[in-house]
Coordinates of all heavy atoms in Angstrom, one line a residue:
N1 N -30.0 -13.4 -0.9 CA -28.7 -13.9 -1.3 C -28.0 -12.8 -2.2 O -26.8 -12.6 -2.1 CB -28.8 -15.1 -2.1 CG -29.3 -16.3 -1.2 OD1 -29.1 -16.3 0.1 ND2 -30.0 -17.2 -1.8
N2 N -28.8 -12.1 -3.0 CA -28.2 -11.0 -3.9 C -27.7 -9.9 -3.1 O -26.6 -9.4 -3.3 CB -29.2 -10.7 -4.9 CG -29.5 -11.7 -6.0 OD1 -28.7 -12.6 -6.3 ND2 -30.7 -11.6 -6.6
V3 N -28.5 -9.5 -2.1 CA -28.1 -8.5 -1.2 C -26.8 -8.8 -0.3 O -25.9 -8.1 -0.2 CB -29.3 -8.0 -0.3 CG1 -28.8 -7.0 0.9 CG2 -30.4 -7.5 -1.0
A4 N -26.9 -10.1 0.1 CA -25.7 -10.6 0.9 C -24.4 -10.6 -0.1 O -23.3 -10.2 0.4 CB -25.9 -12.0 1.4
M5 N -24.6 -11.1 -1.3 CA -23.4 -11.0 -2.2 C -23.0 -9.6 -2.5 O -21.7 -9.3 -2.6 CB -23.9 -11.7 -3.5 CG -24.0 -13.2 -3.4 SD -24.6 -14.0 -4.8 CE -23.2 -13.8 -5.9
L6 N -23.9 -8.8 -2.7 CA -23.5 -7.2 -2.9 C -22.8 -6.7 -1.7 O -21.8 -6.0 -1.8 CB -24.8 -6.5 -3.2 CG -25.4 -6.7 -4.5 CD1 -26.8 -5.9 -4.7 CD2 -24.7 -6.3 -5.7
L7 N -23.3 -7.0 -0.5 CA -22.6 -6.6 0.7 C -21.2 -7.2 0.8 O -20.2 -6.5 1.2 CB -23.4 -6.8 1.9 CG -24.7 -6.2 2.1 CD1 -25.5 -6.6 3.3 CD2 -24.6 -4.7 2.2
E8 N -21.1 -8.4 0.5 CA -19.8 -9.1 0.6 C -18.8 -8.5 -0.5 O -17.7 -8.3 -0.2 CB -20.0 -10.7 0.3 CG -18.7 -11.3 0.4 CD -18.1 -11.5 1.9 OE1 -18.9 -11.2 2.8 OE2 -17.0 -11.8 2.0
A9 N -19.4 -8.3 -1.7 CA -18.5 -7.6 -2.7 C -18.1 -6.2 -2.3 O -16.9 -5.8 -2.5 CB -19.2 -7.6 -4.1
N10 N -19.0 -5.4 -1.8 CA -18.6 -4.1 -1.3 C -17.6 -4.2 -0.2 O -16.6 -3.4 -0.2 CB -19.9 -3.4 -0.9 CG -19.6 -2.0 -0.7 OD1 -18.6 -1.4 -0.9 ND2 -20.7 -1.3 -0.1
Y11 N -17.8 -5.2 0.6 CA -16.8 -5.3 1.8 C -15.4 -5.6 1.3 O -14.4 -5.0 1.7 CB -17.3 -6.3 2.8 CG -16.3 -6.8 3.9 CD1 -16.0 -5.9 4.9 CD2 -15.7 -8.0 3.8 CE1 -15.1 -6.3 5.8 CE2 -14.8 -8.5 4.7 CZ -14.5 -7.5 5.8 OH -13.5 -7.9 6.7
R12 N -15.3 -6.6 0.3 CA -14.0 -7.0 -0.2 C -13.5 -5.9 -1.1 O -12.2 -5.9 -1.1 CB -14.2 -8.3 -1.2 CG -14.6 -9.6 -0.3 CD -14.7 -10.7 -1.2 NE -15.0 -11.9 -0.4 CZ -14.2 -12.7 0.2 NH1 -12.7 -12.4 0.2 NH2 -14.5 -13.8 0.9
E13 N -14.3 -5.1 -1.7 CA -13.7 -4.0 -2.5 C -13.1 -3.0 -1.6 O -12.0 -2.4 -1.9 CB -14.9 -3.3 -3.4 CG -14.5 -2.2 -4.2 CD -15.6 -1.6 -5.0 OE1 -16.7 -2.2 -4.9 OE2 -15.4 -0.6 -5.8
R14 N -13.9 -2.7 -0.4 CA -13.2 -1.8 0.5 C -11.9 -2.4 1.1 O -11.0 -1.6 1.4 CB -14.2 -1.4 1.7 CG -15.3 -0.7 1.1 CD -16.4 -0.4 2.3 NE -17.6 0.4 1.9 CZ -18.6 0.8 2.6 NH1 -18.5 0.4 4.0 NH2 -19.5 1.5 2.1
L15 N -11.9 -3.7 1.4 CA -10.7 -4.3 1.8 C -9.5 -4.1 0.9 O -8.4 -3.8 1.2 CB -10.9 -5.7 2.2 CG -11.7 -6.1 3.4 CD1 -11.7 -7.6 3.6 CD2 -11.0 -5.6 4.7
L16 N -9.8 -4.3 -0.5 CA -8.8 -4.1 -1.4 C -8.4 -2.7 -1.5 O -7.2 -2.3 -1.7 CB -9.4 -4.6 -2.8 CG -8.6 -4.4 -4.1 CD1 -7.1 -5.3 -3.8 CD2 -9.3 -4.8 -5.3
T17 N -9.3 -1.7 -1.3 CA -8.9 -0.3 -1.4 C -8.0 0.0 -0.2 O -7.0 0.7 -0.4 CB -10.2 0.6 -1.3 OG1 -11.1 0.2 -2.4 CG2 -9.9 2.0 -1.4
V18 N -8.3 -0.6 1.0 CA -7.5 -0.3 2.2 C -6.1 -0.9 1.9 O -5.0 -0.4 2.3 CB -8.2 -0.9 3.4 CG1 -7.2 -0.8 4.7 CG2 -9.5 -0.1 3.8
Y19 N -6.1 -2.2 1.3 CA -4.8 -2.9 1.1 C -4.0 -2.1 0.1 O -2.8 -1.8 0.4 CB -5.1 -4.3 0.6 CG -3.9 -5.0 0.0 CD1 -3.0 -5.6 0.9 CD2 -3.7 -5.0 -1.5 CE1 -1.9 -6.2 0.3 CE2 -2.5 -5.6 -1.9 CZ -1.7 -6.2 -1.1 OH -0.6 -6.8 -1.5
N20 N -4.6 -1.5 -0.9 CA -3.9 -0.7 -1.9 C -3.3 0.6 -1.3 O -2.2 0.9 -1.5 CB -4.7 -0.4 -3.1 CG -5.0 -1.7 -3.9 OD1 -4.2 -2.6 -4.0 ND2 -6.1 -1.7 -4.6
E21 N -4.0 1.2 -0.4 CA -3.7 2.5 0.1 C -2.6 2.2 1.1 O -1.5 2.9 1.2 CB -4.8 3.1 0.9 CG -5.9 3.7 -0.1 CD -5.4 4.7 -1.0 OE1 -4.5 5.5 -0.6 OE2 -5.9 4.8 -2.1
V22 N -2.7 1.1 2.0 CA -1.6 0.8 2.9 C -0.3 0.4 2.1 O 0.8 0.7 2.4 CB -2.1 -0.4 3.8 CG1 -0.8 -0.8 4.7 CG2 -3.2 0.2 4.8
K23 N -0.5 -0.4 1.0 CA 0.7 -0.9 0.2 C 1.3 0.4 -0.5 O 2.6 0.5 -0.5 CB 0.2 -1.7 -0.8 CG 1.4 -2.4 -1.7 CD 0.9 -3.4 -2.6 CE 1.9 -4.0 -3.5 NZ 2.7 -3.0 -4.2
K24 N 0.6 1.4 -0.8 CA 1.2 2.6 -1.5 C 2.0 3.3 -0.4 O 3.1 3.7 -0.7 CB 0.1 3.5 -1.9 CG -0.6 3.1 -3.2 CD -1.6 4.0 -3.7 CE -2.4 3.6 -4.9 NZ -3.4 4.4 -5.3
R25 N 1.4 3.4 0.8 CA 2.2 4.1 1.9 C 3.4 3.4 2.2 O 4.5 3.9 2.5 CB 1.3 4.4 3.1 CG 0.3 5.5 2.9 CD -0.8 5.5 4.0 NE -1.6 6.6 4.0 CZ -2.7 6.7 3.1 NH1 -2.9 5.7 2.3 NH2 -3.4 7.8 3.1
L26 N 3.3 2.0 2.4 CA 4.5 1.2 2.8 C 5.5 1.3 1.5 O 6.7 1.3 1.8 CB 4.1 -0.2 3.0 CG 3.2 -0.4 4.2 CD1 2.8 -1.9 4.3 CD2 4.0 0.0 5.5
D27 N 5.0 1.2 0.4 CA 6.1 1.4 -0.8 C 6.8 2.7 -0.8 O 8.0 2.9 -1.1 CB 5.2 1.2 -2.1 CG 4.7 -0.2 -2.3 OD1 5.3 -1.2 -1.6 OD2 3.9 -0.5 -3.1
Y28 N 6.0 3.7 -0.5 CA 6.6 5.0 -0.3 C 7.7 5.1 0.7 O 8.8 5.6 0.4 CB 5.5 6.1 -0.1 CG 6.0 7.4 0.2 CD1 6.4 8.4 -0.9 CD2 6.0 8.1 1.5 CE1 6.9 9.6 -0.7 CE2 6.5 9.2 1.7 CZ 7.0 10.0 0.7 OH 7.5 11.3 0.9
Q29 N 7.4 4.5 1.9 CA 8.4 4.5 3.0 C 9.6 3.6 2.5 O 10.8 4.0 2.7 CB 7.7 3.9 4.2 CG 6.6 4.7 4.8 CD 7.1 6.0 5.3 OE1 8.3 6.2 5.8 NE2 6.3 7.0 5.3
V30 N 9.4 2.5 1.8 CA 10.5 1.7 1.4 C 11.3 2.5 0.4 O 12.5 2.5 0.3 CB 9.9 0.4 0.7 CG1 11.1 -0.5 0.0 CG2 9.3 -0.5 1.8
A31 N 10.5 3.2 -0.5 CA 11.3 4.0 -1.6 C 12.1 5.0 -0.9 O 13.2 5.3 -1.4 CB 10.3 4.6 -2.6
M32 N 11.5 5.7 0.1 CA 12.3 6.7 0.8 C 13.5 6.1 1.5 O 14.6 6.7 1.5 CB 11.4 7.4 1.9 CG 10.2 8.2 1.2 SD 10.9 9.6 0.4 CE 11.6 10.6 1.7
Q33 N 13.4 5.0 2.1 CA 14.5 4.2 2.7 C 15.5 3.9 1.7 O 16.8 4.2 1.9 CB 14.0 3.1 3.5 CG 13.2 3.4 4.7 CD 13.9 4.1 5.9 OE1 15.2 3.9 5.9 NE2 13.3 4.8 6.6
N34 N 15.1 3.3 0.6 CA 16.0 3.0 -0.5 C 16.8 4.2 -1.0 O 18.0 4.2 -1.3 CB 15.4 2.2 -1.5 CG 14.8 0.8 -1.2 OD1 15.4 0.2 -0.3 ND2 13.8 0.4 -1.8
L35 N 16.1 5.3 -1.3 CA 16.6 6.5 -1.8 C 17.7 7.1 -0.8 O 18.7 7.5 -1.2 CB 15.5 7.5 -2.1 CG 16.0 8.9 -2.6 CD1 16.8 8.7 -4.0 CD2 14.8 9.8 -2.8
K36 N 17.3 7.1 0.5 CA 18.2 7.5 1.5 C 19.4 6.7 1.5 O 20.6 7.1 1.5 CB 17.5 7.4 2.8 CG 18.3 7.9 4.0 CD 17.6 8.0 5.3 CE 18.5 8.5 6.4 NZ 17.7 8.5 7.7
H37 N 19.4 5.3 1.5 CA 20.6 4.4 1.3 C 21.4 4.6 0.2 O 22.6 4.7 0.2 CB 20.1 3.0 1.5 CG 19.6 2.5 2.8 ND1 20.3 2.8 4.1 CD2 18.4 2.0 3.2 CE1 19.6 2.2 5.1 NE2 18.5 2.0 4.7
Q38 N 20.7 4.9 -1.0 CA 21.4 5.1 -2.3 C 22.1 6.4 -2.1 O 23.3 6.5 -2.6 CB 20.3 5.2 -3.3 CG 21.0 5.3 -4.8 CD 21.7 4.2 -5.1 OE1 21.4 2.9 -4.7 NE2 22.9 4.3 -5.8
K39 N 21.5 7.4 -1.6 CA 22.2 8.7 -1.5 C 23.4 8.7 -0.5 O 24.6 9.2 -0.8 CB 21.2 9.8 -1.0 CG 20.2 10.2 -2.0 CD 20.7 10.8 -3.3 CE 19.6 11.2 -4.2 NZ 20.3 11.8 -5.6
E40 N 23.2 7.9 0.5 CA 24.3 7.8 1.5 C 25.5 6.9 0.9 O 26.6 7.3 1.1 CB 23.7 7.0 2.7 CG 22.8 7.9 3.6 CD 22.3 7.2 4.8 OE1 22.5 6.0 4.8 OE2 21.6 7.8 5.7
Q41 N 25.0 5.9 0.1 CA 26.1 5.1 -0.5 C 26.8 5.9 -1.6 O 28.1 5.8 -1.6 CB 25.4 3.9 -1.2 CG 26.4 2.8 -1.7 CD 25.8 1.6 -2.3 OE1 24.5 1.6 -2.3 NE2 26.6 0.6 -2.6
D42 N 26.1 6.7 -2.4 CA 26.8 7.5 -3.4 C 27.7 8.6 -2.7 O 28.8 8.8 -3.3 CB 25.7 8.2 -4.4 CG 25.0 7.2 -5.1 OD1 25.4 6.1 -5.3 OD2 23.9 7.5 -5.6
H43 N 27.1 9.2 -1.7 CA 28.0 10.2 -1.0 C 29.2 9.6 -0.4 O 30.3 10.1 -0.5 CB 27.1 10.7 0.1 CG 27.9 11.8 0.9 ND1 28.2 13.0 0.4 CD2 28.3 11.8 2.2 CE1 28.9 13.7 1.3 NE2 29.0 12.9 2.4
M44 N 29.0 8.3 0.1 CA 30.2 7.6 0.7 C 31.2 7.3 -0.3 O 32.4 7.4 -0.1 CB 29.7 6.4 1.5 CG 30.9 5.6 2.0 SD 31.7 6.6 3.4 CE 30.3 6.6 4.6

């Protein structure tokens, strides 16, 4: 049971790491889109 719990915790930790990395990339893309719209709006 301890080994199974350790494996489950490791699996969930990796899932959290993947989620955080994907979220960072998506936030970066969103920030780039917002910056682009902001620059376009300011220019306009």
Side-chain angles (χ1 to χ4, degrees):
N1 293 331
N2 291 334
V3 172
M5 292 176 64
L6 289 174
L7 293 175
E8 183 67 20
N10 191 7
Y11 172 72
R12 291 182 179 275
E13 184 178 358
R14 291 181 179 179
L15 284 179
L16 181 61
T17 303
V18 171
Y19 169 78
N20 291 329
E21 293 296 329
V22 172
K23 185 175 180 300
K24 287 179 181 179
R25 286 172 172 77
L26 293 176
D27 292 340
Y28 175 75
Q29 295 296 329
V30 171
M32 291 295 293
Q33 293 292 332
N34 293 333
L35 180 61
K36 183 178 179 181
H37 290 305
Q38 185 68 29
K39 292 296 183 182
E40 289 178 352
Q41 186 177 4
D42 293 340
H43 179 70
M44 182 61 69

